[in-house]
Amino acid sequence: EILVLTVGTLALLAIALHIGAVLHAHAHAHALAAGGEARAPSHPIVAGLASLLIPGWGQLLAGHRHRAVLFLGGVWLLSVAWLLVTPPGMRVLTRLNLALPAALRDGWGPIVMLSAPLVLWAIAVYDAAAGAAAERKR
């Protein structure tokens, strides 16, 4: 059980480090661009395609850091949820005397687990393209 808690803690730290590193790299690139000539906002198609590859990337290209954190964090959250509903994840939860509600295992849970990533990705693509379009109009 200690090993599971340690690995879980390390995973949470890795997630926080990843999101922090992405934001730091974006802030650093933005500061470098501010020192020279201003960078033109990304084209909406480019931002949409970037978020199609990695949710949050298009938001960063459009200059919306908080939205990028929301989508990138959402991907990580869904990844953890997927790991918890796998048979090894269920065994880990059982060892920790935790159990998922029956509705999540048997009812709407599988449908939600299949549709949530698709919905997140679609919203990320739309938001990146719409945000980039709005930035280009300014």
Side-chain angles (χ1 to χ4, degrees):
E1 292 176 7
I2 296 296
L3 178 63
V4 170
L5 289 175
T6 303
V7 169
T9 303
L10 289 174
L12 288 175
L13 289 172
I15 291 168
L17 179 66
H18 179 239
I19 292 173
V22 166
L23 290 177
H24 177 72
H26 180 260
H28 184 67
H30 188 68
L32 287 176
E37 70 181 51
R39 184 170 91 47
S42 295
H43 192 276
I45 293 175
V46 173
L49 288 175
S51 273
L52 183 63
L53 294 174
I54 301 171
W57 188 12
Q59 284 75 10
L60 282 176
L61 292 176
H64 301 141
R65 296 176 63 199
H66 291 95
R67 290 180 185 176
V69 169
L70 178 73
F71 287 111
L72 191 55
V75 169
W76 275 110
L77 243 145
L78 287 172
S79 300
V80 169
W82 268 94
L83 288 175
L84 287 177
V85 298
T86 62
M90 296 293 249
R91 284 194 297 271
V92 167
L93 289 175
T94 303
R95 284 187 127 195
L96 294 172
N97 294 325
L98 299 171
L100 292 175
L104 285 179
R105 286 187 317 246
D106 307 324
W108 287 96
I111 295 169
V112 170
M113 289 301 294
L114 290 173
S115 62
L118 298 174
V119 169
L120 177 81
W121 240 285
I123 292 172
V125 170
Y126 172 77
D127 181 69
E135 288 299 320
R136 286 177 70 90
K137 286 182 182 178
R138 285 187 191 190

